[in-house]
């Protein structure tokens, strides 16, 4: 019956519903604690006395005979708790009386014919009585000695267990203190590294902005150089020369494109490094947050003692191991985060120096090529200005020569016209003398001179006509030369206008040195 009562305690004890629900959520539970560690609630538990075997008979020590009838009362089906079976602790309507054995005094009420025989057979002799007393005394002494040894062993065991529990708690507290020291050390290390990394990342953001600005600033010089080439394509005639200006512009455009590729690669490296730094920063922040949480938990655990509030039983918690790392791997993970952050900071420092050198190199080369192109424009403009002046001078000379040639033509024409009078006179004389008669038609000296005069005048007129034709041809050549000089002058003026006004005005109005040098 006592075993039945213990079993009823497990199923019928008043375990709170919240504890049962909590045991379903966690791998440990308060319900699995030993009975001696169960929290005591409600009324105090009375001493464990076998009340079920109490009887109101006069001689309860006298044994019943085997042939005596035994009356058995069945227990109710409701389970018995671990509280004792006194009426004050029983639920309403529950009875747990034990088996009732008939004794010698009242047994004859049921079977009176056997009462005398039962009394005769249960008598003892004096020796048996003394031997029984001695047996009881020795058994008492033996039980008392055994009990005393058990008490001493129990006291010693209690002291040993108390010392072991105290020592274990002290050692666990010391280990928790060491763990707190380690956590504090690594938290400070991670915080210091995180501050350094954040400071470096502020610089990389500025560096990325400067690199992007320099990359954008190169578009304007490239556009200007291409615009200058486009304007110079509008030159005409012999001014479309692959001169030093065009070569300088092509070299400048090539350099600007190479510089843009270098800055683009540098910008991509900075962006990738920024992503890597943000990844290292996330790992550090996550590690610091975890260590702050662990530091709070371990500090709370380090401050707990036997009299702290909120401590309770968690059955089976020692069998649950949620650990995912060891002491060495834990320290190695934090050290790896710090090393990665340091490596990223080192890369960032190298990238900063490289980016500064690249930006300065690009600015220097861009400015050098820009200056070289401007100098080429100046030299070419000076050459074209000198050529234009020479063309203008030659044009003036040709113009003057044309004026002189036109006067010469007029004089030649006048000279030819002036020869018409003498020729008419000479021919008229000859015609008049041809009317002489007879012997008077004499070929005298006068006749010879008149003939010679006409011939001389005709030869002179022919010579003048030949000179007039030559002069007219020279006049036409001068006109053609003047036209050619005028076209060349117009082309040179146009080319000079393009280089000086269109190209140089764009290049002088753009301060490239102030735009990309920081």
């Amino acid at each position: 019956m006592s075993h039945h009562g213990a079993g009823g305690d497990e199923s019928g004890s008043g375990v709170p519903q919240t504890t049962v629900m909590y045991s379903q959520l966690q791998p440990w539970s308060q319900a699995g604690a030993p009975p001696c560690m169960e929290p005591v609630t409600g009324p105090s538990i009375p001493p464990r006395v076998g009340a079920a075997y109490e009887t109101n008979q006069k001689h309860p020590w006298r044994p019943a005979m085997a042939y005596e009838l035994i009356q058995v009362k069945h227990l109710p089906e409701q389970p018995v708790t671990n509280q004792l079976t006194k009426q004050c602790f029983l639920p309403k309507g529950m009875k747990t009386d034990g088996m009732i054995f008939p004794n010698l005094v009242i047994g004859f009420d049921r079977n009176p014919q056997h009462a005398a025989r039962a009394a005769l057979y249960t008598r003892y002799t004096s020796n048996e009585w003394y031997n029984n007393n001695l047996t009881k005394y020795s058994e008492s002494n033996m039980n008392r000695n055994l009990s005393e040894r058990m008490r001493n062993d129990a006291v010693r065991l209690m002291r040993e267990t108390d010392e072991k529990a105290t020592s274990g708690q002290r050692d666990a507290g010391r280990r928790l203190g060491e763990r707190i020291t380690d956590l504090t050390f690594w938290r400070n290390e991670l915080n210091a590294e995180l501050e350094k990394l954040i400071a470096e990342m502020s610089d990389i953001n500025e560096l990325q902005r400067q690199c992007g600005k320099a990359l954008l600033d190169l578009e304007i010089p490239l556009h200007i150089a291409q615009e200058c080439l486009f304007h110079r394509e509008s030159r005409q005639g012999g001014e479309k020369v692959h001169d030093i200006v065009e070569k300088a512009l092509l070299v400048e455009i090539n350099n600007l494109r190479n510089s843009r590729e270098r800055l683009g690669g540098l910008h991509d490296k900075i962006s990738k490094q920024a992503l890597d730094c943000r990844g290292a920063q996330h790992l550090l922040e996550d590690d610091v947050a975890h260590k702050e949480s662990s530091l709070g938990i371990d500090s709370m655990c380090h401050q707990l003692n036997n009299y702290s509030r909120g401590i309770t039983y968690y059955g089976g918690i020692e069998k649950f191991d949620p650990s995912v790392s060891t002491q060495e791997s834990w320290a190695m993970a934090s050290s790896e985060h710090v090393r990665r952050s340091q490596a990223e900071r080192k890369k960032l420092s190298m990238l900063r120096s490289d980016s500064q050198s690249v930006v300065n190199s690009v600015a220097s080369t861009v400015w050098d090529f820009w200056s070289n192109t401007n100098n080429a424009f100046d030299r070419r403009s000076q050459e074209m200005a000198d050529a234009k002046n020479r063309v203008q001078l030659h044009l003036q000379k040709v113009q003057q020569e044309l004026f002189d040639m036109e006067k010469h033509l007029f004089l030649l024409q006048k000279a030819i016209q002036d020869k018409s009078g003498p020729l008419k006179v000479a021919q008229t004389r000859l015609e008049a003398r041809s009317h002489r008669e007879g012997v008077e038609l004499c070929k005298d000296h006068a006749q010879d001179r008149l003939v010679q005069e006409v011939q001389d005048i005709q030869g002179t007129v022919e010579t003048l006509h030949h000179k007039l034709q030559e002069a007219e041809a020279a006049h036409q050549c001068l006109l053609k030369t003047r036209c050619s000089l005028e076209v060349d002058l117009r082309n040179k003026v146009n080319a000079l206008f393009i280089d000086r006004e269109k190209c140089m005005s764009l290049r002088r109005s753009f301060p490239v040195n102030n735009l990309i040098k920081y």
Side-chain angles (χ1 to χ4, degrees), residues 459-473:
T460 302
V461 171
E462 185 178 357
T463 303
L464 288 175
H465 276 287
H466 181 69
K467 291 296 182 183
L468 181 62
Q469 291 177 357
E470 290 180 354
E472 287 178 351

Side-chain angles (χ1 to χ4, degrees), residues 119-311:
L120 182 59
Y121 288 163
T122 56
R123 291 293 185 269
Y124 298 99
T125 62
S126 297
N127 292 330
E128 292 177 346
W129 180 77
Y130 283 116
N131 291 332
N132 185 32
N133 290 336
L134 293 176
T135 303
K136 297 297 182 183
Y137 299 155
S138 62
E139 184 180 358
S140 175
N141 291 330
M142 184 179 61
N143 288 335
R144 282 189 295 105
N145 293 332
L146 180 60
S147 176
E148 185 177 1
R149 287 196 303 271
M150 291 180 63
R151 284 190 297 106
N152 293 332
D153 292 341
V155 169
R156 180 177 56 80
L157 182 60
M158 285 188 291
R159 289 176 180 175
E160 291 178 355
T161 54
D162 189 22
E163 291 177 358
K164 185 176 181 181
T166 304
S167 175
Q169 192 177 57
R170 187 184 307 110
D171 186 63
R174 181 176 59 83
R175 293 303 179 93
L176 283 173
E178 294 175 357
R179 180 63 174 177
I180 290 172
T181 303
D182 294 341
L183 281 171
T184 305
F185 170 76
W186 281 112
R187 182 197 61 181
N188 296 336
E189 289 290 327
L190 291 171
N191 281 328
E193 185 62 30
L194 182 60
E195 291 176 359
K196 294 179 182 178
L197 183 60
I198 291 175
E200 292 286 343
M201 288 187 65
S202 63
D203 295 339
I204 197 175
N205 293 331
E206 181 65 19
L207 187 63
Q208 189 175 10
R209 185 194 66 80
Q210 291 179 358
C211 185
K213 182 177 181 299
L215 187 61
L216 291 177
D217 291 342
L218 289 181
E219 296 297 330
I220 300 178
L222 180 61
H223 176 71
I224 290 177
Q226 292 174 347
E227 191 72 16
C228 290
L229 281 179
F230 175 75
H231 285 314
R232 286 176 62 83
E233 288 297 322
S234 61
R235 294 176 298 172
Q236 297 176 356
E239 298 303 318
K240 285 187 175 181
V241 183
H242 186 64
D243 51 4
I244 58 174
V245 176
E246 188 169 353
K247 294 178 181 179
L249 285 173
L250 292 175
V251 172
E252 183 183 1
I253 290 174
N254 188 24
N255 175 70
L256 287 172
R257 288 175 178 173
N258 293 334
S259 300
R260 185 173 61 179
E261 292 178 359
R262 290 178 63 188
L263 288 177
L266 179 62
H267 189 270
D268 294 339
K269 287 182 180 179
I270 294 174
S271 301
K272 184 178 181 300
Q273 186 62 34
L275 291 177
D276 294 340
C277 289
R278 279 194 287 270
Q281 179 185 0
H282 173 72
L283 290 178
L284 288 177
E285 290 176 349
D286 193 48
D287 200 358
V288 168
H290 290 169
K291 281 180 172 50
E292 289 285 352
S293 177
S294 299
L295 187 60
I297 294 173
D298 287 346
S299 298
M300 183 271 295
C301 293
H302 187 262
Q303 294 173 1
L304 285 179
N305 53 39
N306 296 333
Y307 304 99
S308 300
R309 299 180 61 184
I311 59 175

